[in-house]
Amino acid sequence: MISVHELDKYFVREGERFVAVDKVSFAVSPGEVYGLLGPNGAGKTTTIRMILGLLQPDHGFAEVGGYRTSEHPNEVKRRVGFVSALSGMYQWLTGRETLEFFCKVYGLGLTQAKQRIDYVVQLLRLDTFVDQRCGILSTGQKQRVNLARALVHDPPVLLLDEPTLGLDVVASQTVFKYIMAVKQMNKAVILCTHRLEQAETICDRFGLMHQGKMAHEGSLQELCQKTGQRSLVEMFLRMIETSRTEAVS
Amino acid sequence: MNAEFSGEATPFKAASLWTLAFKELRETLRDRRTLMTLLLMPVLVYPLMGLVLQGFFLPSFAHSEAKFGYLVVLDTEQDYLNFQLSLPTNRRYAITTASPRLPDLLEPNGQSPQKSGPALEDYEPLEYVLLEHLDLKNRPKSIEDAVSSGVADVGVKLVQHSSEFTEWTLIVRDGSANSQHAAETVQLFLTERNLLVAREMLQRLRVPFSNRVGFSQESVASTMPATISIVAIIPLILTLMTLTGAVYPAIDLTAGERERGTLESLIAAPLPRMRILAGKLVAVIVVALLTAFLNITGMLTTLWVFQMERLLFPDGGLRLMAFVNLFLLLIVFAGFFSSVLLAVTSFARSFKEGQAYVIPVMLLAIGPSLLSLKPDLNINGMLAVAPLVNIVLLAREVLLGSATLGSTIVVLGSTTIYSILAITFAARIFGTDSVLYGSSGSWKDLVSLPSQAQSVASESTAMLCLALLVPGTFLWNGLIARMRDFGVEVQFPLIVLGLVLIFGVIPLAITTFRRVRIVSGYALYRPHFLVLIAAVLLGIGLGPLLSQVIIESLRLQEWWFGESNNEALVSAAREQVAKWKLIPAFFLLPGLSIVPGIVEELFFRGCLFQSLRQRFRPWTVILMTAIIFGLFHLITAGSLGLSRFLPTMAMGIVLGYVCYRSGSVIPCMVLHSLHNLLTVSIVYYREDLAAAGWIDAEAESIPVTVLVCGAVASIVGFFLLKISRPDSSRTIPEESLDRP
């Protein structure tokens, strides 16, 4: 469903070249949750943005449902539901109005839109606040509306970039339950998160990124075998320690 | 997986413009900050201003030239009745019992008018009132006080009255032409009354009477310098109102959207960027129109409530057609400002940054809006296509009823093109990598020293240089103008010094402080010899071609608009050249050609071009620097050097292309200097060249042979540039640019 081929991205800041993503490749199948993990600045968000076409890669390409992002950006965008830590809400629209707007944006008819809105409202239990103005909702409620917004057009692919950032334990649990639910719907999901314990339980495979490169890839078991560590947390710490040692030497 | 997404690409209808505009409008109009802007002025400010105006200023000018007619004040009831009897009985007057307010009207013989009676204009410009009926807070104590304080124009006092003779004294305000005219009008009516009585007596005696002298009146067009009409202020009001209404939604729907984090969701949706911007444009225009409409309604209602509409519309008050015209003009102003503001705020990454970008636009807009106050400025030539200036002048002419169809089409057509260009530009910028994910800079970025040397100036550094060049040039030009008494011997070295300081020393000082490497930051690389030859050929060949383009465009504008000030321009230029001839050619020619050629290129194609190349594609940078180059010459040329904009911009495009192909600023310096040198030399030696038979001093076109030679030289120059390979080691690789 999603395939990424040797993606490169570098930026020029103050006249100097800075490599953000360096030859990253991986693939995600329908019904699979792929944990794209790594410390801050590893290049996860840049990779996700390139898959969706929000950033242009300098080399390589990404495909969603057989469509290359660089050639068919709108076909890719139609097939993707996207939630990022930066996603905000229209403060003066209600949750329902926001969902209605995105239904129109994604080309849903009136009847279909109503059915989908009723479905996501029920799935994410938005009924008590969906008719309230988004500006007055709590952080957790806003994120639930955001997740509903990403799912309202029933996309086969979900890109979730730190969807639990700033949420408390209960709200985070809601997000993870949501991911489990969409996995059941046979959707391909890429999840970037720093909640490694939860990631271990819901992700089928992992890509560990560090300094723009894909350091390790595979299932939890495969990663444990490759790295000799017992958990993702240990793998992270080891990866950072190694890079520090290399930098000093 | 959803079946709809499983197969080949299915037909997909992106959300309509209305869907996007409706969402933007719904969100904007619910925002209480928009509502404040929308309603505060019309509902609160105008009535308050009306009260202040009425309370403090109205007594002093309620009966000035703009009122119904001259106001005569009388002391007693008896005087009032006698005065009425002393006036000719065959005329219509206005009387009032409670001034200031619209007067009651009086038919001949003291009858009240019928409901469908004559129009106000049919009444005599004379209104008389009893002192005690003046409805003012501080009513004057006597008719002398009323006249001296300006409440009344003339006082009328009864001296003696009998059945045979009534004598009046007219009290006039010393030194007031208005009061004197009022007294003369009263005298005219009293004389006419005597005449009527005399005629009646003759009729009674059956003595035939006929007029010995007759007269009539004809109007001719005024050739005196026009005076400023109150209508001339209306374009400025339209500018301020539409700007006020458009500023907040323009920032909110672009920078605000980015700041709130909703922009990413919108860009991640399958929507053409142009449609997103068009939806936003519709929303901004609607809010700007609503604000302006409510403002105008509030203003006119206030004027009407406080009976002051004649101050603004002295000719019979506000008419429906004027209101319709105002509204149509509002649409033009709102469309222009909304698109320009969206283009500007699309760059911004935060609301604060958006506000910082918008303030200069607002200040810049006020200047051209004031041009409507210049009565001799008409829509012709470049002014018909000059952004904003053209719609300001059109607004004035529409309101004065003097707009022509041709000029209206040119103005509306060019303004529509500008708006489309602005929105296309905004669509390219809005939601790009740098706006979506770039961090906002701070003042600290400008003063902090980078940890390592920079190969080119950052955008903020280049923009800081540009921001200092404009006021620097204005100040220096002002200084040179103040030195005119010292003659060109002092002015000339100052001009050269200013060029070196402003375009050379300032950018070099700033970029050195910011640790920019001089060679790479200014592209001071040794050029390929082929490129140098190309620069020389273009420097020689482009001069006649550009000059002919200017001549043809001036002719076209003369033909289209039927008038021109070309001769005035030519004679002013010749006068200037005569003065410059006091300076030896050895100093003058390099000072006015080679020095600007070198230092201007050092900044525009050196610092600025190299900086912008970090983010934009080559042709975008070529166009951007060319427009800035053209605009710079436009705004610093004094008295709006509109004629310089297009040729300078065209030259900027050629220079940018040379810089791009060669990767060096040196060929640009050669081309620019050579072009200047040839132009200045021909002007300087014009008479000598004509005497030697080289040129025809009276010719109105460039000779065909010269044009052909110029074209051949330019073609060869472009060909040499085309075959020369750009040096890739001197430029940032294409694929690494963080550009939209």
Side-chain angles (χ1 to χ4, degrees):
Chain A
M1 194 71 224
I2 308 169
S3 57
V4 172
H5 301 271
E6 299 205 326
L7 278 184
D8 281 353
K9 180 70 187 176
Y10 26 92
F11 299 109
V12 176
R13 284 182 187 156
E14 295 288 344
E16 302 304 321
R17 206 163 110 156
F18 158 74
V19 180
V21 174
D22 192 1
K23 299 215 172 355
V24 168
S25 300
F26 63 90
V28 186
S29 309
E32 187 179 32
V33 179
Y34 187 89
L36 191 61
L37 311 176
N40 289 335
K44 311 179 296 289
T45 302
T46 305
T47 305
I48 282 201
R49 285 171 179 164
M50 284 192 285
I51 294 171
L52 188 51
L54 299 180
L55 283 176
Q56 298 304 313
D58 294 308
H59 181 258
F61 60 91
E63 285 181 344
V64 173
Y67 289 100
R68 200 173 279 199
T69 307
S70 53
E71 290 168 13
H72 304 283
N74 283 344
E75 288 298 333
V76 170
K77 285 175 179 177
R78 283 180 65 195
R79 286 162 170 77
V80 176
F82 174 60
V83 175
S84 89
L86 293 175
S87 293
M89 304 297 300
Y90 293 114
Q91 303 291 306
W92 297 93
L93 298 188
T94 65
R96 191 180 296 282
E97 286 167 347
T98 305
L99 296 175
E100 283 168 353
F101 170 66
F102 277 96
C103 282
K104 286 180 189 166
V105 163
Y106 283 94
L108 271 62
L110 276 179
T111 319
Q112 201 186 359
K114 192 179 177 313
Q115 285 170 356
R116 289 297 304 167
I117 290 170
D118 289 345
Y119 174 74
V120 293
V121 165
Q122 198 182 6
L123 180 76
L124 285 148
R125 295 181 189 162
L126 310 179
D127 44 340
T128 53
F129 56 84
V130 73
D131 290 310
Q132 287 178 15
R133 197 163 68 74
C134 293
I136 59 168
L137 300 182
S138 70
T139 313
Q141 288 172 331
K142 279 180 187 168
Q143 193 63 326
R144 277 154 73 184
V145 175
N146 249 327
L147 291 166
R149 192 255 311 146
L151 197 61
V152 77
H153 60 291
D154 198 14
V157 170
L158 276 167
L159 302 180
L160 307 174
D161 184 13
E162 302 198 24
T164 54
L165 192 78
L167 299 188
D168 63 19
V169 180
V170 180
S172 299
Q173 280 306 316
T174 313
V175 174
F176 287 118
K177 279 182 189 167
Y178 164 88
I179 297 169
M180 293 305 286
V182 295
K183 184 181 171 181
Q184 297 301 317
M185 295 172 201
N186 206 31
K187 295 184 189 300
V189 181
I190 295 181
L191 171 69
C192 296
T193 182
H194 290 299
R195 295 187 187 251
L196 301 178
E197 291 86 355
Q198 280 92 340
E200 282 180 1
T201 60
I202 62 166
C203 294
D204 301 302
R205 286 193 308 122
F206 301 90
L208 298 190
M209 288 187 72
H210 187 48
Q211 293 178 336
K213 291 190 171 77
M214 185 64 86
H216 304 289
E217 205 202 353
S219 65
L220 185 61
Q221 202 180 358
E222 288 167 346
L223 288 180
C224 290
Q225 281 173 359
K226 274 185 201 170
T227 60
Q229 308 296 323
R230 286 174 299 177
S231 67
L232 286 173
V233 176
E234 285 181 11
M235 284 176 220
F236 256 60
L237 293 173
R238 178 74 187 156
M239 200 163 63
I240 293 165
E241 189 61 36
T242 310
S243 67
R244 273 189 194 152
T245 316
E246 282 171 4
V248 170
S249 62
Chain B
M1 192 174 71
N2 190 328
E4 193 196 337
F5 295 113
S6 55
E8 288 298 306
T10 48
F12 172 72
K13 195 175 163 229
S16 66
L17 178 64
W18 172 241
T19 300
L20 295 166
F22 183 67
K23 187 276 286 180
E24 305 292 7
L25 271 174
R26 187 146 67 168
E27 218 204 353
T28 307
L29 291 176
R30 282 179 188 173
D31 189 341
R32 60 176 72 96
R33 284 173 293 184
T34 315
L35 293 179
M36 287 274 280
T37 326
L38 210 62
L39 297 175
L40 199 67
M41 286 286 277
V43 172
L44 206 61
V45 177
Y46 289 125
L48 278 173
M49 277 170 65
L51 276 174
V52 171
L53 204 61
Q54 191 189 44
F56 294 97
F57 300 107
L58 201 64
S60 63
F61 77 124
H63 296 289
S64 65
E65 297 289 352
K67 67 181 185 327
F68 171 76
Y70 296 119
L71 183 72
V72 179
V73 65
L74 298 113
D75 206 0
T76 65
E77 192 80 36
Q78 194 193 352
D79 285 10
Y80 186 85
L81 292 170
N82 281 323
F83 185 69
Q84 200 167 323
L85 292 170
S86 299
L87 291 171
T89 50
N90 59 343
R91 290 177 182 269
R92 299 186 177 97
Y93 302 97
I95 58 166
T96 180
T97 50
S99 185
R101 43 168 277 192
L102 267 182
D104 297 327
L105 305 171
L106 207 64
E107 285 287 284
N109 305 316
Q111 299 294 311
S112 291
Q114 299 292 316
K115 272 188 179 173
S116 56
L120 205 60
E121 290 81 8
D122 296 330
Y123 287 80
E124 296 303 333
L126 195 72
E127 179 187 353
Y128 49 98
V129 64
L130 202 54
L131 182 65
E132 64 187 57
H133 286 162
L134 281 171
D135 188 15
L136 297 172
K137 270 187 185 171
N138 300 312
R139 188 189 302 146
K141 290 190 180 86
S142 62
I143 55 173
E144 285 83 358
D145 280 352
V147 174
S148 62
S149 65
V151 168
D153 298 310
V154 64
V156 179
K157 199 183 253 184
L158 191 64
V159 180
Q160 57 166 302
H161 172 67
S162 67
S163 58
E164 297 299 317
F165 184 64
T166 306
E167 188 180 352
W168 298 97
T169 299
L170 305 186
I171 298 162
V172 182
R173 188 164 56 253
D174 198 16
S176 165
N178 194 50
S179 183
Q180 190 59 45
H181 290 154
E184 283 166 11
T185 307
V186 173
Q187 283 174 30
L188 195 73
F189 287 133
L190 296 179
T191 309
E192 191 176 331
R193 173 68 174 160
N194 281 333
L195 194 66
L196 281 174
V197 171
R199 190 182 281 189
E200 278 172 19
M201 288 170 75
L202 287 170
Q203 270 177 353
R204 261 186 244 134
L205 295 169
R206 297 184 185 278
V207 176
F209 175 82
S210 61
N211 285 332
R212 296 290 187 273
V213 181
F215 62 88
S216 63
Q217 188 174 311
E218 278 181 15
S219 299
V220 293
S222 171
T223 53
M224 289 173 68
T227 52
I228 296 170
S229 157
I230 192 87
V231 167
I233 298 170
I234 292 179
L236 179 64
I237 296 174
L238 293 178
T239 297
L240 293 176
M241 283 177 181
T242 43
L243 262 178
T244 313
V247 161
Y248 174 73
I251 302 175
D252 191 56
L253 297 182
T254 49
E257 182 129 46
R258 195 263 188 188
E259 201 169 53
R260 285 190 298 272
T262 49
L263 178 58
E264 203 178 41
S265 310
L266 203 59
I267 298 295
L271 286 168
R273 197 113 24 109
M274 191 68 185
R275 193 169 300 175
I276 297 177
L277 257 295
K280 288 181 185 298
L281 177 68
V282 171
V284 177
I285 289 177
V286 170
V287 176
L289 275 176
L290 268 176
T291 312
F293 182 75
L294 287 175
N295 269 285
I296 287 182
T297 310
M299 197 168 74
L300 295 178
T301 309
T302 306
L303 286 172
W304 184 77
V305 167
F306 292 100
Q307 298 178 32
M308 295 185 287
E309 71 269 32
R310 279 167 191 283
L311 296 178
L312 203 58
F313 300 98
D315 303 329
L318 178 65
R319 294 205 174 96
L320 180 67
M321 203 51 213
F323 199 82
V324 171
N325 281 339
L326 270 179
F327 191 74
L328 291 175
L329 288 168
L330 271 182
I331 296 174
V332 180
F333 276 78
F336 176 76
F337 281 120
S338 301
S339 50
V340 169
L341 287 172
L342 275 177
V344 171
T345 55
S346 290
F347 274 104
R349 286 159 287 198
S350 68
F351 207 95
K352 250 183 175 179
E353 200 178 331
Q355 282 173 320
Y357 292 163
V358 156
I359 289 167
V361 174
M362 293 179 76
L363 293 175
L364 279 174
I366 290 171
S369 303
L370 288 170
L371 287 178
S372 63
L373 296 171
K374 206 167 153 41
D376 52 346
L377 207 61
N378 298 313
I379 307 179
N380 56 23
M382 290 294 288
L383 289 181
V385 291
L388 185 56
V389 177
N390 59 356
I391 53 174
V392 163
L393 295 179
L394 178 72
R396 188 187 64 184
E397 298 203 354
V398 165
L399 294 169
L400 289 172
S402 56
T404 61
L405 184 64
S407 59
T408 307
I409 289 171
V410 173
V411 172
L412 294 183
S414 56
T415 303
T416 308
I417 291 169
Y418 298 141
S419 296
I420 291 170
L421 283 176
I423 285 300
T424 312
F425 181 67
R428 284 187 65 81
I429 297 296
F430 184 71
T432 51
D433 303 0
S434 51
V435 175
L436 255 178
Y437 306 119
S439 59
S440 303
S442 72
W443 284 106
K444 203 179 156 195
D445 299 338
L446 291 178
V447 291
S448 64
L449 278 177
S451 57
Q452 50 189 329
Q454 311 290 301
S455 52
V456 293
S458 66
E459 277 172 60
S460 55
T461 305
M463 289 304 142
L464 176 67
C465 295
L466 185 63
L468 289 174
L469 292 193
V470 178
T473 308
F474 271 122
L475 278 175
W476 201 263
N477 285 350
L479 175 75
I480 291 166
R482 292 191 79 88
M483 294 287 174
R484 63 176 167 266
D485 293 342
F486 294 93
V488 288
E489 295 89 344
V490 174
Q491 282 181 312
F492 173 69
L494 278 177
I495 288 173
V496 178
L497 180 66
L499 283 167
V500 174
L501 279 177
I502 292 166
F503 290 97
V505 176
I506 291 178
L508 279 170
I510 292 172
T511 48
T512 307
F513 176 72
R514 297 283 298 150
R515 301 191 63 182
V516 177
R517 292 189 197 102
I518 299 296
V519 174
S520 59
Y522 288 84
L524 287 164
Y525 298 108
R526 197 175 62 186
H528 196 278
F529 79 98
L530 271 183
V531 177
L532 270 182
I533 295 171
V536 171
L537 287 172
L538 286 169
I540 296 168
L542 283 175
L545 296 180
L546 285 176
S547 303
Q548 190 60 35
V549 169
I550 297 170
I551 292 168
E552 292 305 328
S553 65
L554 288 172
R555 276 189 191 145
L556 184 72
Q557 113 191 9
E558 192 176 343
W559 171 77
W560 182 267
F561 296 100
E563 55 182 293
S564 89
N565 57 349
N566 298 349
E567 283 179 20
L569 281 173
V570 170
S571 76
R574 284 182 182 165
E575 203 176 310
Q576 185 66 37
V577 171
K579 281 185 191 169
W580 286 125
K581 286 206 168 180
L582 295 171
I583 308 285
F586 181 74
F587 292 112
L588 185 79
L589 297 183
L592 292 183
S593 56
I594 297 172
V595 174
I598 291 173
V599 292
E600 285 183 11
E601 288 313 304
L602 196 66
F603 176 71
F604 285 106
R605 255 60 59 178
C607 178
L608 187 64
F609 193 97
Q610 305 310 317
S611 171
L612 293 175
R613 273 291 280 128
Q614 289 181 90
R615 257 189 70 183
F616 300 100
R617 291 177 187 281
W619 273 104
T620 312
V621 180
I622 291 170
L623 282 176
M624 283 171 82
T625 46
I627 290 170
I628 294 171
F629 187 58
L631 281 175
F632 191 84
H633 285 82
L634 174 82
I635 60 173
T636 55
S639 68
L640 280 174
L642 283 166
S643 57
R644 291 189 67 178
F645 178 67
L646 284 179
T648 315
M649 197 183 85
M651 191 55 156
I653 292 173
V654 175
L655 288 164
Y657 181 68
V658 171
C659 185
Y660 161 60
R661 292 300 301 181
S662 64
S664 167
V665 77
I666 293 170
C668 305
M669 291 174 171
V670 171
L671 194 164
H672 194 155
S673 303
L674 205 55
H675 171 81
N676 284 356
L677 187 63
L678 272 177
T679 314
V680 176
S681 300
I682 289 171
V683 174
Y684 190 86
Y685 292 113
R686 186 174 151 272
E687 287 158 13
D688 302 322
L689 290 170
W694 282 60
I695 60 166
D696 179 1
E698 300 307 317
E700 292 184 346
S701 292
I702 310 286
V704 178
T705 46
V706 177
L707 282 176
V708 171
C709 290
V712 170
S714 303
I715 291 167
V716 175
F718 280 120
F719 176 73
L720 290 177
L721 272 180
K722 190 76 187 164
I723 59 169
S724 68
R725 282 186 164 274
D727 188 342
S728 57
S729 66
R730 294 169 185 176
T731 52
I732 298 161
E734 281 289 309
E735 63 276 11
S736 69
L737 296 176
D738 175 19
R739 68 194 170 206

